[in-house]
Amino acid sequence: MYSFKDDYSEGAHPRILNALIETNLKQVTGYGEDEYSLEAIQLIKRKMNSPQVHVHLMCGGTQTNLTVISAFLRPHEAAVAANSGHILVHETGAIEGTGHKVLACEVKDGKLTPEDIHAVLEAHTDEHMVKPKLVYISNPTEIGSIYIKSELEALSRFCQENKLFLYVDGARLGSALCSDENDLELSDLPRLVDAFYIGGTKNGALLGEALVICRDSLNEDFRYHIKQKGGLLAKGRVLGLQFLELFKDNLYFELAKHANEMAGLLKTELERAGFGFFTHSPSNQIFPILPDKLIAKLRENYEFYTWAKMDDTHSAIRLVTSWATEKEAVLGFCQDLQNYCKD
Amino acid sequence: MYSFKDDYSEGAHPRILNALIETNLKQVTGYGEDEYSLEAIQLIKRKMNSPQVHVHLMCGGTQTNLTVISAFLRPHEAAVAANSGHILVHETGAIEGTGHKVLACEVKDGKLTPEDIHAVLEAHTDEHMVKPKLVYISNPTEIGSIYIKSELEALSRFCQENKLFLYVDGARLGSALCSDENDLELSDLPRLVDAFYIGGTKNGALLGEALVICRDSLNEDFRYHIKQKGGLLAKGRVLGLQFLELFKDNLYFELAKHANEMAGLLKTELERAGFGFFTHSPSNQIFPILPDKLIAKLRENYEFYTWAKMDDTHSAIRLVTSWATEKEAVLGFCQDLQNYCKD
Amino acid sequence: MYSFKDDYSEGAHPRILNALIETNLKQVTGYGEDEYSLEAIQLIKRKMNSPQVHVHLMCGGTQTNLTVISAFLRPHEAAVAANSGHILVHETGAIEGTGHKVLACEVKDGKLTPEDIHAVLEAHTDEHMVKPKLVYISNPTEIGSIYIKSELEALSRFCQENKLFLYVDGARLGSALCSDENDLELSDLPRLVDAFYIGGTKNGALLGEALVICRDSLNEDFRYHIKQKGGLLAKGRVLGLQFLELFKDNLYFELAKHANEMAGLLKTELERAGFGFFTHSPSNQIFPILPDKLIAKLRENYEFYTWAKMDDTHSAIRLVTSWATEKEAVLGFCQDLQNYCKD
Amino acid sequence: MYSFKDDYSEGAHPRILNALIETNLKQVTGYGEDEYSLEAIQLIKRKMNSPQVHVHLMCGGTQTNLTVISAFLRPHEAAVAANSGHILVHETGAIEGTGHKVLACEVKDGKLTPEDIHAVLEAHTDEHMVKPKLVYISNPTEIGSIYIKSELEALSRFCQENKLFLYVDGARLGSALCSDENDLELSDLPRLVDAFYIGGTKNGALLGEALVICRDSLNEDFRYHIKQKGGLLAKGRVLGLQFLELFKDNLYFELAKHANEMAGLLKTELERAGFGFFTHSPSNQIFPILPDKLIAKLRENYEFYTWAKMDDTHSAIRLVTSWATEKEAVLGFCQDLQNYCKD
């Protein structure tokens, strides 16, 4: 049985575990002020050619989203997200738990446009309604689509003109930036957005996300917020060492590239076999539409989620690959698919 | 330079890192429903002879405290803590951040008594004031003192009679339970308290606390709260594997015992040299009162916190030992102390 | 210029002001424990034949909604509302401000059905999502439609079966209960719902809503919540005296009936003149669809809101009547309408 | 039986009720944008010679305190108050309910000094603790003492130097400003503090407090906060008309002066009879220390609170006067006191 359910089924990249072992007994300062964390932060800034930004190493995605949004917004201000947005649906009301409404935009491909946000602004005009103030997007989105540079630039411009913060949930940012269709550089982000995070958990780390805050004013007292929300690890070294390893060379991007390539192999084979897809997703998640009978057969050897029922005999499934996905498993899946289709 | 500043300066016990490596590429379910976490939870329940309790593996202490307290209390209900309580002072208002007041009791030794809580109840009589509902204690306390069985039983009885929840912050619970003066068993706790956590971060883990909820009603939907507050790790295995290793034999207690022994060596030498202590602390934190000149000399080779100024020429310092404290370093400190005192 | 903008443009019914004057210098207990409030509460219970319910006199609608919902729900639980629901759109995120998500159902006539709520329950299945727990409806709805008895009974049954609280925002409850199409009695409500409020502000009072909580368990410590949220008036007599006057005979219903009759006159004339309506609303708000030119003419003598643009030359407007609406003004409007239509 | 329990036992000054009646059927805009509210706001600004401030008419004290503090502070920031501060003890955790800690200073006379606040700042040094940001004082304090100009100036200077907001709860501000010992003008306040409110409920109004925000930046979007916290009355005229009446001439101050004079009569008689006081309170609350036997006798004809037990046979009681206190009742009390003392 091999799992294509998600990109967090395995542990960490071996180099990360080695780094933990090699440094294990060195005594360092707690709460993220250790030498490893400080060095990792410097490295990440250098990778972005952005010495002026602020980087905080966080534990997980929901934690990061709720800490950022509650720190940036005043009580009456709201976030705007696509209807598929992770904060809208899959974080148990974590943002509302901090007091803020999340306003949903009905979109088809997981991506927000200036027009979507404009409509929200038009509908929120006075003090009887919340004030939209932060735009939340994910890149890639929850359904695997990615923002290309012109799209992000348009959002950026719109947000600046309308005094909105633009925040990118980058749980799988590596996969977006390493997509064949991507034309964004990591170093473009500080120029275009107010804050974003570089996901570690889903790209080789045991846990950890590197939050980048691109404006001094938004960073003021940010460590207070991390502590208050329970996100400040006593042994901050755990996060520092992982990001140090991921960014000291190109490991972070190599791992993301591998994940994308494995998804690409699956996609090519599925296309070759004549199947369509629920959505266009040039990242490490793909959503083929398959006959339910074929899905049942595949389930004998593979784990994956059914995403949506399409008609009486077809469903879309989700296949996710990761830095740890074995090429053999992918080829095996392709072979099985061929065999089942022959039958 | 050797540090006695805290018990989280080093990484994890080597067996824990080995366990991470050995299981690294095994694919398991996410969000704490992996086989390692489930097994760790079973082990912990068995260690307590308490099959009926509920165990959740959490990331850190503040996270655990705020999730527990906000899940247990209704909006108008408050926690009661000693004036030195961690939630009162050192968690950046994390509990208030979830909407709940923390009521302080002025105590001298860090420990709450039924009388202290009774006075709070007497002072909160109607709907113009919050309703005290949860008693928060730490064992050991923030100043190293511990609760003996009769003290905890008295608190337990008082809380039951007054319909108060009793919750124990066990960030250093291992050290309390392995103290020479302790007469509590781990298995006593489920009978005496409503919830408590077994601290991992400060006793050999990279991160992680095992929260034990002793009543079914308090456990209802608890995983929703963990998720909402940002504490549900995608790779829950990281926590599961660590607690599995700590509790599969007596490792957890051996590590705590070592920490206490190292503190004991320091204490004996300090007593032998004629110094007094700020507080009686039979656990892994001690607070000797030393001449400021001696403190300055010790600082040349050792790191530690100054706890309180006692008079014009003396201060109390805090020395903390851990599972990782080296006996050579402790003996070196004792030797240096002897030498400096001779001068 | 006469206003049909809303039902809170005037002050209070003269009997209410007289009651304030007559009792003005009598010394009474503060914070809602005065004799007038206690008597008003008894009267309201008697009117409902429901001695077992709990009644609290509150200041305003948003205040009532946020106090009720935050008192009833645990942090991970959410409210469900129609997409036009007042709490969803027009209370500046007051519910989210207390930490709770409001889940929207897309409905056309402002009314929720068991099917709508069922779909929400189906979509919220585990701890990564909020838990729907309270159903919020308004009667009449924000667009003037009302629930008939069989509809409310179906909702009631569904909520009980699914352990959901059913809460009715009755800002204009008088108008609903006095509608020609209504078959509900005030005394039906305690049997069918968990809590509701009888709106005073929009039916003759200066301010004030009578909240009825129909279950003992939901009422526990409720006055703490009122105080904490800032809703406990020192001079509670102001609320007590008003509800005493409204319910000591049938004044409350007579005022609502008058409002409905005035709306009925407007409606009949508009229908006679051949105009259609945006929605079917048998209460004190009507939404005729008129040519924009006619609307412009009407604006010369009347104030009202434009509700929605229907096509290039037509819009729906909202006309609201109240206990204070003068029949002469209504007849004048009808006459003007006739005149303009002739032109 | 006559009550000296509090200053909200009666209704409103007759002129206020007359104003409500005279304007009752005039149609005006809702939510505080009516002509009466706007005029009242202009009047208040003129009385203070402060055209630049922002005035909002609020429903009650707790509502005002929680709306101000939650609007002014970021999540990690805290308020500082005297240990007798109303927000600390008697508002059911309303401030904590919005997520903010209230830090207590142990003071004797109810008044904060720069030294008290300095000590709090010294103790809160990093991100593991909340950040003190707003200083809350009441004038008069909860025990009747008042701030003279030099004291308020010292606080003002200290707060400016330390970037703290200074906020005055003026529930009984009239009484403070009309005290014999007062040297502050209403017009001094906008210069010295960031925000304060002029209490109406306890000085002649049915309900209502006029909040004054003295800095543009703190006023930004403030009406959103009022609405979100449930404090925006649909019939804002109720508040507008009352403050219009109180400030169109000197009524507000005349009422406060009367209350103080009545307290002065009681005080003089009590002093004459040889009794001491719990605290020095030159406003409308006094706290004489009386033999318990005398207290029992007085209770036959008067209602008042026992404030504190002083020794086995003596207690301090609280006597409160108001705009409505009858001179005959006061003289009667004095006479009774004389008679009882003779016995």
Side-chain angles (χ1 to χ4, degrees), chain D residues 59 69 223 255 289 292:
Chain D
C59 286
I69 294 176
R223 279 176 58 87
L255 297 182
I289 298 170
D292 291 333

CSV table of all heavy atoms in Angstrom, one decimal, chain D residues 59 69 223 255 289 292:
chain,number,residue,atom,x,y,z
D,59,CYS,N,-24.0,54.0,25.6
D,59,CYS,CA,-25.1,53.6,26.5
D,59,CYS,C,-24.7,53.5,28.0
D,59,CYS,O,-25.5,53.9,28.8
D,59,CYS,CB,-25.6,52.2,26.1
D,59,CYS,SG,-26.5,52.2,24.6
D,69,ILE,N,-11.2,50.4,25.2
D,69,ILE,CA,-9.9,49.7,25.4
D,69,ILE,C,-9.6,48.7,24.3
D,69,ILE,O,-8.5,48.6,23.8
D,69,ILE,CB,-9.9,49.1,26.9
D,69,ILE,CG1,-9.9,50.2,27.9
D,69,ILE,CG2,-8.7,48.1,27.1
D,69,ILE,CD1,-10.0,49.8,29.3
D,223,ARG,N,-16.7,54.2,15.2
D,223,ARG,CA,-18.1,53.8,15.1
D,223,ARG,C,-18.2,52.3,14.8
D,223,ARG,O,-19.2,51.7,15.2
D,223,ARG,CB,-18.9,54.7,14.2
D,223,ARG,CG,-19.3,56.0,14.8
D,223,ARG,CD,-20.0,57.0,13.8
D,223,ARG,NE,-21.2,56.4,13.2
D,223,ARG,CZ,-22.4,56.4,13.8
D,223,ARG,NH1,-22.6,57.0,14.9
D,223,ARG,NH2,-23.5,55.9,13.1
D,255,LEU,N,-26.5,69.7,38.7
D,255,LEU,CA,-26.9,68.5,39.3
D,255,LEU,C,-25.8,67.9,40.1
D,255,LEU,O,-26.0,67.4,41.2
D,255,LEU,CB,-27.3,67.5,38.2
D,255,LEU,CG,-28.6,68.0,37.3
D,255,LEU,CD1,-28.9,66.9,36.3
D,255,LEU,CD2,-29.8,68.3,38.2
D,289,ILE,N,-17.0,55.8,59.3
D,289,ILE,CA,-16.8,54.6,60.1
D,289,ILE,C,-17.7,54.8,61.4
D,289,ILE,O,-17.5,55.7,62.1
D,289,ILE,CB,-15.3,54.5,60.6
D,289,ILE,CG1,-14.5,54.3,59.3
D,289,ILE,CG2,-15.2,53.3,61.5
D,289,ILE,CD1,-13.0,54.3,59.5
D,292,ASP,N,-21.2,49.5,64.9
D,292,ASP,CA,-22.2,48.6,64.3
D,292,ASP,C,-23.6,48.8,64.9
D,292,ASP,O,-24.6,48.6,64.1
D,292,ASP,CB,-21.7,47.1,64.5
D,292,ASP,CG,-20.5,46.9,63.6
D,292,ASP,OD1,-20.3,47.6,62.6
D,292,ASP,OD2,-19.7,46.0,64.0
